[in-house]
Amino acid sequence: LLPPTNFTIKVTGLSQVLLHWESNPDQEPTNIELGYHVRINAPQEEDYETRNTESKRVTVLHKGFSASVQTVPWNGQPLPASSWVSAELKAPPGSPETSIMNLTCTTNTTVNNRTPLRPYQVSLHCSWLAGKDAPEDTQYFLYYRYGSWTEECQEYRKDSLNRNTACWFPRTFISSRGSEPLAVHANGSSKHATIKPFDQLFALHAIDRVNPPVNVTAETEGLGLSIQWEKPVSAFPIHCFEYEVKIYNTRKNYSQTEKITTNTFTSIIDDISKYSIQVRATVSSVCRQMGFWSEWSQPIYVGNDDQKPSTEWFLITLMAAICFILLSFSFICKTAHLWTRLFPPVPAPKSSVQDFFVIVSSE
């Protein structure tokens, strides 16, 4: 087999390249179906086979990109593959220490009141640090690409040197239910150095900040506790969520956390404590790869911790009854003069001195 010809690599978008080649025109006709073995050499090694003569790849490009391709028999015939042909994209100029560092991005879903056909919209927030070798006059610019859409940031936050270090996209074309990676690109400019660009790919499930459940309510009936809530603000349907319910006994300083897949939960509690209830959510693996849990919902409270335990009420009632009986008995004894009969007064001894003065006074 003869190797492919005219192998080229072309940048077609942020963090996106198109590999294109042609079958060798000198290849003699055979009854063997031909295919191609593609090997990505940089920035990360990857091997795959295809029947097509072009291939689109999403990858970071600030480290350069190189690949090779060879002709192979497609139907498993014991025929040796052709030799390799290669192509390369050079890494962009600039010191790596001038690129942005510690790039982090998060997405969040909100209700879209502008377009009825798109009831939800996704916002994007990214932050980073200036490169260690970036001059003080460096200014960075951020872009994202999702699918065929590319946008430049319009709302930046700056550091003490007036350099852009964070970006806010209040409305994007990102689909929270999509499976394509999010490509983020940052370049920069300076009068004193060439600023090297930087690319990073994000899986949406890994950066999506899920909203907490809404309209959490709780009711008690006797010793039974019933909790209900609604799914978070999200494009995912209700069956795509898992929940955790946290019930905290404020009197005993004890909490329990239960994981469930429905939006209702029942439990048994005592009637002498106050409880704090919170719920959080995550998108389950039924609908996409598992990501992070949401924040806990605002706490709601049920029960009454002002009540005394039953043992304390029993002691209080017993002491009150004893006091009442004693007071009643004392009142009856005083009214019927029984106290004097039961406890007659003890006669006081005569005083000789007093008799002496009485005799003297009489004389």
Side-chain angles (χ1 to χ4, degrees):
L1 299 180
L2 299 179
T5 60
N6 299 328
F7 181 34
T8 59
I9 301 174
K10 181 180 179 182
V11 178
T12 57
L14 293 182
S15 305
Q16 182 175 269
V17 294
L18 177 67
L19 287 65
H20 180 80
W21 60 89
E22 297 175 359
S23 59
N24 197 308
D26 296 330
Q27 179 69 53
E28 297 180 358
T30 63
N31 294 328
I32 300 175
E33 297 183 24
L34 300 180
Y36 303 96
H37 179 194
V38 182
R39 174 174 295 168
I40 309 298
N41 302 315
Q44 291 181 337
E45 292 186 359
E46 180 186 0
D47 281 82
Y48 59 94
E49 294 186 352
T50 178
R51 292 290 308 276
N52 301 320
T53 57
E54 65 178 20
S55 175
K56 184 180 292 185
R57 310 304 292 176
V58 175
T59 182
V60 296
L61 296 176
H62 63 272
K63 297 180 179 180
F65 186 90
S66 64
S68 304
V69 62
Q70 65 178 175
T71 307
V72 296
W74 189 258
N75 54 5
Q77 292 291 328
L79 193 65
S82 73
S83 59
W84 293 95
V85 293
S86 301
E88 180 183 12
L89 285 177
K90 297 290 186 180
S95 168
E97 300 298 325
T98 60
S99 300
I100 65 172
M101 303 186 304
N102 299 342
L103 174 64
T104 60
C105 294
T106 58
T107 59
N108 183 244
T109 302
T110 57
V111 176
N112 183 13
N113 295 321
R114 297 186 176 187
T115 307
L117 297 179
R118 295 185 62 191
Y120 301 100
Q121 65 186 20
V122 177
S123 62
L124 173 66
H125 179 266
C126 295
S127 62
W128 60 91
L129 297 176
K132 295 180 180 179
D133 294 342
E136 293 186 357
D137 72 331
T138 301
Q139 193 56 280
Y140 293 107
F141 306 96
L142 190 87
Y143 305 79
Y144 85 85
R145 181 184 60 78
Y146 184 78
S148 60
W149 295 96
T150 300
E151 282 192 287
E152 179 184 0
C153 180
Q154 302 296 325
E155 299 184 27
Y156 287 104
R157 187 184 67 196
K158 302 179 182 295
D159 63 6
S160 59
L161 297 177
N162 203 38
R163 297 179 294 193
N164 296 334
T165 55
C167 172
W168 167 248
F169 294 90
R171 289 177 296 276
T172 68
F173 294 96
I174 300 172
S175 171
S176 59
R177 299 181 62 179
S179 57
E180 297 183 49
L182 173 69
V184 178
H185 171 87
N187 56 32
S189 63
S190 170
K191 295 180 181 179
H192 307 288
T194 300
I195 307 302
K196 191 177 184 68
F198 180 82
D199 303 306
Q200 189 166 338
L201 302 178
F202 295 94
L204 291 184
H205 74 273
I207 64 172
D208 186 27
R209 190 176 61 199
V210 180
N211 294 304
V214 297
N215 297 333
V216 181
T217 60
E219 296 179 351
T220 58
E221 184 175 353
L223 299 180
L225 171 64
S226 177
I227 308 171
Q228 295 183 342
W229 59 88
E230 296 179 10
K231 81 174 185 74
V233 174
S234 173
F236 285 98
I238 189 172
H239 71 271
C240 289
F241 290 94
E242 291 183 5
Y243 303 97
E244 281 190 347
V245 181
K246 181 167 65 175
I247 304 175
Y248 175 66
N249 187 322
T250 60
R251 179 176 172 273
K252 298 181 179 179
N253 193 25
Y254 169 77
S255 66
Q256 68 178 93
T257 302
E258 301 290 342
K259 183 179 293 186
I260 56 176
T261 57
T262 62
N263 62 338
T264 60
F265 180 75
T266 58
S267 181
I268 302 298
I269 60 173
D270 59 56
D271 58 351
I272 58 173
S273 299
K274 189 175 183 179
Y275 293 88
S276 167
I277 298 169
Q278 293 176 284
V279 187
R280 66 177 182 175
T282 186
V283 180
S284 70
S285 57
V286 174
C287 297
R288 76 170 184 192
Q289 193 171 346
M290 289 284 289
F292 296 107
W293 286 92
S294 72
E295 298 292 331
W296 289 103
S297 63
Q298 291 296 319
I300 60 174
Y301 297 92
V302 295
N304 185 4
D305 58 353
D306 295 333
Q307 298 179 6
K308 301 293 184 181
S310 57
T311 54
E312 294 182 17
W313 276 114
F314 174 77
L315 293 177
I316 293 174
T317 305
L318 180 61
M319 293 299 296
I322 293 174
C323 292
F324 176 78
I325 292 173
L326 292 176
L327 289 174
S328 301
F329 180 76
S330 177
F331 178 78
I332 294 172
C333 289
K334 184 176 181 180
T335 304
H337 301 285
L338 294 177
W339 194 266
T340 304
R341 298 177 183 179
L342 293 174
F343 304 98
V346 178
K350 292 183 177 182
S351 174
S352 301
V353 178
Q354 184 179 7
D355 293 342
F356 172 78
F357 281 106
V358 170
I359 295 172
V360 172
S361 177
S362 174
E363 291 180 348

